[in-house]
């Protein structure tokens, strides 16, 4: 594939490109986009992302203004979530008129050059984002800051061929606490592409919750990546909920760099038609007494396909590691497909590690139990499917976010009207 237009676009749109942008582009031009011979892309095609990027670069890039429809949608969304603190991103560009940050959190619209990616053949989407970003943000949380409500990052799209690429760097100082809720809302255009690359640095005792609710639409291309490094006793809690997207790729990489660090990683994907969702996770236990817990669940219908590849790497000397990894899937169609591969690689002796994957249908005994209580077959199936997904989202502390996640799940279960979620 000819990627020369990427270099031309960088020269035109970023004439003063920094070291990192130039290094990212050079690496992308060298390696190209991965094919299925690359292990981490064995079951997912990267070509649609490359095709879209080249097509978008040839088109005029839209602005970040909100039209009446998007303004009304944003107001309804803000009321639903009782959102006090928000960052609004339209077509990949920040709309500063709607920005409101918690006390103790500062934002820098541009980021300084950092070390370039150590490029590998499967880093193409992150390199593309780094070479041609549309929005770059650094969020810094001061020492001992405890925010009183989540910070919502809302993505809206209304222009076709908009290359919406967002870079977010989060820096939490010691004993600080922040919850980020990232929403990718349905687009008002055909075939949008959304890409977010984020990094998080958690100092000693810091706590970060990052919940991503993705409902971009059935024909959207979505790519997300979060790279986090945790110091002593830092805690990271993540949730990825996918109910939209024609092609979705989520990468989550966590380094538990110092003793006492812990991460809780959760994911839910409900897909139908010919949707394709790929979740790749990697946890490095690099220090003693670190903990990771991972629970990803999927519900697949029609001809949809999901991929899960989770790896836990326990380094030599990382004694006291406690790692659990689980991927459970319900296939509600004979044509749906899941490729699941949980992995453990352990180089320490005193550890507690477990992993597992299940692929199947609803439990017959549970269905029989509900039927015996007078519940019809369809309603019993709906209730058990909802309960299967709710296990992952039930511990969300913020009630509006938890309720919204439950409703997103419920709306993806056909004819699901038997349960009053408000109760």
């Amino acid at each position: 594939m000819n990627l020369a237009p990427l270099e031309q676009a960088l020269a035109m749109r970023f004439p003063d490109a920094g070291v990192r942008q130039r290094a990212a582009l050079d690496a992308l031009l060298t390696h190209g986009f991965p094919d299925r011979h690359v292990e981490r892309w064995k079951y997912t095609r990267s070509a649609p992302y490359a095709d879209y990027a080249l097509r978008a670069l040839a088109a005029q890039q839209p602005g970040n203004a909100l039209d009446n429809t998007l303004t009304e949608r944003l107001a309804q969304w803000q009321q639903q979530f009782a959102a006090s603190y928000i960052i609004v991103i339209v077509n990949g560009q920040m709309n500063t008129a709607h920005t409101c940050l918690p006390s103790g959190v500062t934002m820098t619209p541009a980021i300084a050059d950092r070390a370039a990616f150590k490029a590998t053949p499967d880093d193409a989407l992150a390199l593309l984002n780094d070479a041609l970003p549309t929005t770059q943000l650094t969020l810094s949380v001061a020492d001992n800051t405890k925010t009183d409500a989540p910070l919502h990052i809302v993505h809206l799209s209304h222009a076709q061929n908009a290359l919406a690429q967002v870079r977010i760097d989060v820096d939490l100082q010691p004993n600080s606490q922040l919850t980020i809720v990232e929403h990718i809302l349905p687009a008002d255009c055909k075939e949008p592409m959304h890409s977010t690359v984020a990094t998080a640095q958690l100092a000693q005792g810091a706590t970060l919750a990052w919940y991503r609710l993705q409902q971009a639409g059935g024909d959207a291309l979505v790519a997300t990546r979060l790279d986090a490094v945790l110091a002593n006793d830092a805690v990271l809690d993540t949730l990825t909920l996918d109910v939209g997207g024609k092609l979705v790729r989520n990468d989550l990489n966590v380094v538990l760099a110092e003793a006492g660090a812990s991460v809780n990683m959760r994911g839910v994907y409900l897909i139908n038609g010919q949707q394709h969702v790929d979740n790749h996770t990697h946890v490095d236990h690099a220090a003693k007494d670190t903990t990771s817990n991972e629970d990803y669940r999927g519900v697949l219908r029609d001809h949809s396909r999901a991929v899960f590849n989770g790896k836990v790497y326990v380094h030599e000397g990382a004694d006291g590691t406690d790692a659990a990894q689980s991927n459970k899937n319900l296939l509600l169609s004979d044509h749906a497909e899941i490729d699941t591969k949980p992995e453990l690689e352990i180089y320490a002796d005193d550890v507690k590690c477990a992993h597992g994957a299940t692929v199947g249908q609803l439990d017959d005994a549970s269905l029989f139990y509900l039927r015996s209580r007078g519940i019809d077959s369809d309603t019993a199936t709906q209730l058990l499917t909802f309960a299967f997904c709710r296990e992952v989202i039930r511990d969300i502390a913020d009630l509006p976010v938890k309720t919204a996640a439950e409703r997103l799940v419920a709306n993806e279960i056909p004819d699901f009207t038997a349960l009053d979620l408000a109760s």
Side-chain angles (χ1 to χ4, degrees):
M1 178 177 291
N2 180 17
L3 299 180
L6 293 175
E7 187 168 20
Q8 298 169 7
L10 180 65
M12 293 176 59
R13 292 171 56 190
F14 302 98
D16 299 321
V19 174
R20 193 181 72 185
Q21 283 180 263
R22 172 54 58 184
L25 181 66
D26 289 344
L28 182 58
L29 294 174
T30 299
H31 293 288
F33 281 77
D35 58 25
R36 293 187 177 181
H37 292 96
V38 177
E39 179 63 25
R40 297 184 73 244
W41 286 87
K42 183 177 180 179
Y43 302 108
T44 300
R45 297 174 60 239
S46 67
Y49 294 106
D51 293 339
Y52 187 100
L54 293 174
R55 185 168 69 249
L57 291 172
Q60 183 177 0
Q61 292 300 300
N64 62 348
L66 288 168
D67 59 20
N68 292 335
T69 301
L70 290 183
T71 300
E72 182 178 348
R73 178 183 295 177
L74 182 62
Q76 293 173 348
W77 167 88
Q78 195 165 1
Q79 183 178 13
Q80 175 189 358
F81 283 90
S84 303
Y85 310 120
I86 63 172
I87 295 174
V88 177
I89 298 174
V90 182
N91 298 324
Q93 303 174 56
M94 187 172 65
N95 185 298
T96 56
H98 293 86
T99 297
C100 181
L101 299 178
S103 177
V105 178
T106 58
M107 178 177 65
T108 306
I111 53 180
D113 275 324
R114 298 187 180 181
F117 279 101
K118 184 178 180 181
T120 63
D122 61 347
D123 277 330
L125 293 179
L127 291 170
L128 177 65
N129 185 294
D130 226 27
L132 295 168
T134 47
T135 287
Q136 304 177 81
L137 302 174
T138 295
L139 297 171
S140 300
V141 187
D143 294 14
N144 301 303
T145 295
K146 302 290 191 295
T147 54
D148 59 345
L151 171 60
H152 297 262
I153 302 176
V154 186
H155 301 273
L156 298 163
S157 297
H158 65 78
Q160 197 166 357
N161 292 326
L163 188 58
Q165 300 205 120
V166 180
R167 170 76 186 227
I168 304 171
D169 294 287
V170 183
D171 186 11
L172 280 81
Q173 295 302 306
N175 303 309
S176 61
Q177 180 178 327
L178 176 66
T179 296
I180 293 176
V181 185
E182 187 178 2
H183 309 252
I184 306 175
L185 297 182
D188 282 344
C189 58
K190 292 182 178 180
E191 297 182 346
M193 176 173 167
H194 173 85
S195 171
T196 297
V197 172
T199 66
Q201 298 280 343
L202 280 67
Q204 180 176 352
T207 300
L208 173 64
W210 195 309
Y211 306 139
R212 180 177 287 123
L213 311 180
Q214 187 274 119
Q215 50 180 141
D219 60 353
L221 302 180
V222 179
T224 73
R225 177 171 175 149
L226 173 60
D227 295 289
V229 179
L230 281 62
N232 290 99
D233 301 319
V235 178
L236 174 65
D237 185 33
T238 70
L239 169 68
T240 302
L241 173 56
D242 288 295
V243 297
K246 176 174 65 176
L247 176 60
V248 180
R249 169 75 179 218
N250 300 311
D251 284 276
L252 177 56
N253 306 304
V254 180
V255 179
L256 304 175
E258 297 180 354
S262 65
V263 59
N264 185 30
M265 307 158 69
R266 295 166 290 170
V268 185
Y269 42 94
L270 296 98
I271 53 178
N272 55 61
Q274 294 186 336
Q275 290 177 291
H276 184 111
V277 172
D278 182 344
N279 283 289
H280 266 69
T281 68
H282 188 110
V283 181
D284 275 302
H285 286 264
K288 293 183 177 181
D289 301 322
T290 53
T291 303
S292 66
N293 183 61
E294 190 168 357
D295 189 357
Y296 276 71
R297 302 190 178 200
V299 178
L300 289 74
R301 296 187 285 122
D302 304 327
H303 288 79
S304 60
R305 184 176 186 178
V307 180
F308 175 81
N309 191 166
K311 184 168 186 176
V312 173
Y313 189 104
V314 181
H315 291 254
E316 185 177 355
D319 297 328
T321 287
D322 187 347
Q325 186 184 73
S326 173
N327 178 226
K328 299 179 180 180
N329 299 274
L330 291 179
L331 301 185
L332 303 184
S333 164
D334 292 337
H335 305 290
E337 181 179 347
I338 172 71
D339 298 285
T340 179
K341 184 184 176 186
E343 299 179 75
L344 290 175
E345 193 167 343
I346 304 171
Y347 296 95
D349 295 326
D350 182 17
V351 301
K352 179 183 177 182
C353 296
H355 67 178
T358 60
V359 179
Q361 300 173 335
L362 292 172
D363 180 58
D364 288 338
S366 298
L367 283 171
F368 177 78
Y369 177 85
L370 293 178
R371 293 295 309 279
S372 68
R373 265 63 181 171
I375 299 175
D376 64 85
S377 178
D378 288 344
T379 301
T381 298
Q382 294 160 5
L383 287 170
L384 290 176
T385 302
F386 180 78
F388 171 80
C389 298
R390 192 174 183 268
E391 285 289 315
V392 178
I393 58 182
R394 65 181 181 180
D395 293 330
I396 296 177
D398 186 81
L399 182 58
V401 175
K402 177 181 176 180
T403 301
E406 290 177 340
R407 291 194 180 280
L408 285 177
V409 170
N411 289 339
E412 293 301 310
I413 300 174
D415 303 319
F416 185 64
T417 59
L419 184 65
D420 179 7
L421 294 178
S423 65

